[in-house]
């Protein structure tokens, strides 16, 4: 097991902190690293895709889990895969897809680890039907503060505290995940433009973009132009998709299916390729205008690879540098159904301030996860990236927090880098239970992070 001292940040490249980094390659080495932690505790880290400080630990220890990366078993009779926590979703899909299997929940990047995905209880574009990842975890191996490796099953308090628990109940070492069958490596996609936010919300809920049998496509998300103003405020492009059956594929694609199938980025850039720091209001507005105008008014039946549909942003591997040397702040929140006016107010405030946001996504959420700190609750979720150096950004986002909290909504802790502890406590009603379980399970504070200290988790 290698050990070094490094300065680490999240994907947003803000608030760097220094920690001792351990790189375990076995369960035993991970346990030794936890036992060898200093007084500032330890936290697990995957591929560093958390935008904020969830996988940092100033003055303490960080366990780089990417060395634990084995896919241990695929049971095709039960549709279950068992793997180590350090396996990336991208690599896991490369193993599964050639065999006709797919993950029931796929987030917007494949470059996160299984452990990080469970610790964040990630969701995908099909959340209203599929829910979040915790629903498909059959069991997980958890290294707790006492050095014991526990097999944790759904329906227990420890499972619900761990899924979405941001690594603070212990180190996830491995997991068994339930899978789903897919008929091909391609996705059939429909795209439509919406003239404003009301139009966009209506298109989400109108059930358009159904398959050939009239059923709605399970995957749906929208890009939102947050720089549009006036009657165009909140305009966007809605994209839906479903796994394409072999019968709709062209002949050459059906022949290709006989060969091993892989998930590979198709090279199409997901955003403007600009030198860091040049993405200001003017360039962002020009990009947004071009993106909106170039989208089809309505198109169905387009075939895309799984990577192009699910992980388009991975085609731009250093997209976190577009906002300059100061980095970016990701703001993600959700408000419930019936609180659409609150969503409108937030969008209008962002538009009026002319925030240079070109990555802004809108999705719907369905039933909540049992995870105590899991983010999704039924409603609408909006995500945007903003330059960390934007003057007055902290005060502005504090104001949006107040708007969201007043509507009964919440921000996403797994992607947060600046929320105040009292705000987080108001948004997550089970936080007190989470703290109690941590105090009982980990009385000496073995597992800590910069996020945990900042939010008093």
């Amino acid at each position: 097991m290698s050990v070094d001292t490094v300065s680490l940040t999240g994907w947003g490249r803000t608030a760097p902190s220094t920690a001792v980094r351990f790189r375990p390659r076995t369960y035993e080495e991970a346990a030794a690293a936890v036992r060898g932690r200093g007084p500032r505790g330890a936290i697990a880290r995957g591929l560093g895709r958390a935008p904020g400080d969830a996988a940092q630990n100033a003055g303490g220890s960080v366990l780089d889990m990417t060395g634990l990366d084995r896919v241990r078993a695929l049971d095709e009779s039960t549709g279950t895969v068992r793997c180590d926590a350090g396996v990336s979703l991208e690599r896991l899909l490369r193993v599964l897809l050639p065999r006709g299997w797919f993950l029931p929940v796929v987030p917007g990047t494949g470059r996160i680890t299984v452990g990080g995905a469970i610790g964040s209880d990630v969701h995908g574009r099909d959340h209203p039907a599929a829910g979040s990842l915790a629903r498909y975890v059959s069991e997980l191996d958890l290294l707790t503060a006492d050095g014991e490796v526990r097999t944790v099953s759904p329906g227990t308090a420890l499972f619900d505290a761990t899924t979405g628990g941001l690594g603070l109940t212990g180190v996830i070492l491995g997991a068994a995940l339930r899978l789903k069958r897919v008929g091909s490596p391609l996705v059939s996609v429909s795209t439509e433009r919406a003239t404003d936010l009301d139009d966009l919300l209506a298109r989400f809920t109108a059930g358009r973009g159904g398959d050939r049998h009239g059923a709605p496509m399970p995957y749906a998300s929208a890009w939102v132009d947050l720089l549009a103003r006036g009657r165009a405020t909140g305009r966007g492009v809605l994209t839906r998709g479903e796994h394409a059956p072999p019968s709709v594929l062209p002949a050459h694609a059906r022949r290709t299916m006989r060969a091993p199938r892989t998930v590979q980025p198709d090279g199409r850039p997901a955003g403007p390729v600009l030198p860091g720091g040049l993405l200001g209001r003017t360039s962002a507005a020009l990009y947004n205008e071009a993106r909106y105008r170039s989208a089809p008014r309505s198109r169905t039946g387009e075939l895309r690879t799984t990577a192009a549909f699910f992980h388009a942003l991975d085609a731009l591997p250093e997209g976190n540098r577009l906002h300059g040397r100061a980095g970016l702040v990701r703001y993600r929140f959700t408000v419930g159904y019936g609180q659409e006016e609150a969503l409108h107010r937030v969008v209008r405030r962002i538009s009026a301030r002319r925030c240079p946001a070109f990555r802004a996504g809108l999705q719907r959420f369905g039933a909540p996860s049992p995870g105590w700190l899991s983010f999704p609750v039924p409603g609408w979720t909006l995500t945007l990236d903003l330059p960390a150096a934007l003057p007055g950004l902290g005060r502005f986002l504090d104001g949006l927090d107040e708007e969201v909290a007043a509507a009964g909504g919440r921000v996403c802790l797994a992607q947060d880098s600046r929320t105040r502890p009292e705000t987080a406590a108001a948004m997550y009603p089970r936080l007190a239970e989470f703290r109690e379980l941590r105090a009982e399970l980990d009385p000496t504070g073995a597992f800590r992070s910069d996020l945990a200290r900042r939010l008093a988790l």
Side-chain angles (χ1 to χ4, degrees), residues 59-415:
S61 301
V62 169
L63 276 67
D64 182 331
M65 300 298 293
T66 55
L68 275 165
D69 62 351
R70 286 170 292 179
V71 179
R72 293 176 177 263
L74 172 60
D75 187 339
E76 300 202 53
S77 65
T78 61
T80 303
V81 66
R82 178 172 285 278
C83 60
D84 290 343
V87 176
S88 73
L89 299 190
E90 183 178 55
R91 177 164 172 253
L92 187 57
L93 288 173
R94 286 178 179 154
V95 172
L96 298 176
L97 194 55
R99 295 164 173 81
W101 294 101
F102 204 68
L103 294 171
V105 173
V106 177
T109 176
R111 293 171 184 168
I112 61 174
T113 61
V114 168
I118 295 171
S120 301
D121 196 16
V122 296
H123 60 272
R125 300 184 187 190
D126 58 345
H127 189 274
S132 53
L133 185 62
R135 182 184 295 185
Y136 306 96
V137 179
S138 300
E139 62 181 27
L140 54 87
D141 297 324
L142 185 71
L143 172 63
T144 49
D146 56 7
E148 179 183 351
V149 178
R150 308 186 186 201
T151 299
V152 185
S153 300
T156 63
L158 184 54
F159 185 90
D160 292 344
T162 300
T163 53
L166 307 168
L168 296 173
T169 61
V171 178
I172 299 172
L173 298 173
L177 306 173
R178 294 191 299 277
L179 308 171
K180 71 175 183 179
R181 278 284 189 187
V182 294
S184 81
L186 299 180
V187 181
S188 179
V189 181
S190 74
T191 307
E192 54 190 300
R193 284 194 328 213
T195 57
D196 59 24
L197 185 57
D198 280 328
D199 186 28
L200 187 57
L201 299 183
R203 289 173 185 269
F204 260 107
T205 57
R208 304 179 189 182
D211 65 14
R212 63 195 184 285
H213 302 299
M217 289 177 153
Y219 302 106
S221 65
W223 167 78
V224 184
D225 182 0
L226 292 178
L227 283 165
R229 292 187 290 183
R231 289 184 295 179
T233 300
R235 68 181 181 179
V237 179
L238 174 62
T239 304
R240 303 174 191 265
E242 63 177 341
H243 295 282
S247 59
V248 305
L249 303 185
H252 73 276
R254 290 197 295 271
R255 288 194 299 270
T256 303
M257 286 178 61
R258 301 189 187 103
R261 293 173 274 167
T262 60
V263 179
Q264 294 287 351
D266 66 356
R268 292 189 294 178
V273 182
L274 297 171
L278 291 185
L279 192 67
R281 291 183 177 92
T282 301
S283 54
L286 290 172
Y287 169 77
N288 284 7
E289 182 69 24
R291 179 169 182 176
Y292 181 77
R293 295 296 177 189
S294 64
R297 292 183 182 274
S298 181
R299 179 175 63 196
T300 61
E302 178 193 7
L303 293 178
R304 298 186 193 175
T305 66
T306 50
F309 181 76
F310 290 101
H311 300 147
L313 293 178
D314 289 346
L316 192 62
E318 294 198 354
N320 61 338
R321 297 184 179 274
L322 290 174
H323 290 295
R325 296 180 63 182
L328 65 88
V329 171
R330 178 162 297 166
Y331 189 68
R332 179 158 212 177
F333 70 92
T334 184
V335 292
Y337 297 122
Q339 295 293 334
E340 285 78 8
E341 183 50 40
L343 177 62
H344 275 273
R345 287 194 297 270
V346 171
V347 169
R348 287 196 296 266
R349 289 178 68 168
I350 296 170
S351 175
R353 199 176 189 275
R354 306 295 290 157
C355 292
F358 77 94
R359 286 185 183 175
L362 182 69
Q363 292 178 234
R364 296 178 67 200
F365 281 157
S369 166
W372 293 352
L373 298 187
S374 293
F375 172 58
V377 290
W380 302 96
T381 178
L382 181 67
T383 309
L384 59 146
D385 290 346
L386 295 170
L390 198 65
L393 180 62
R395 292 190 302 275
F396 176 69
L397 294 181
D398 285 345
L400 297 189
D401 283 349
E402 294 174 4
E403 192 85 61
V404 170
R410 57 179 56 171
V411 297
C412 180
L413 299 184
Q415 299 189 11

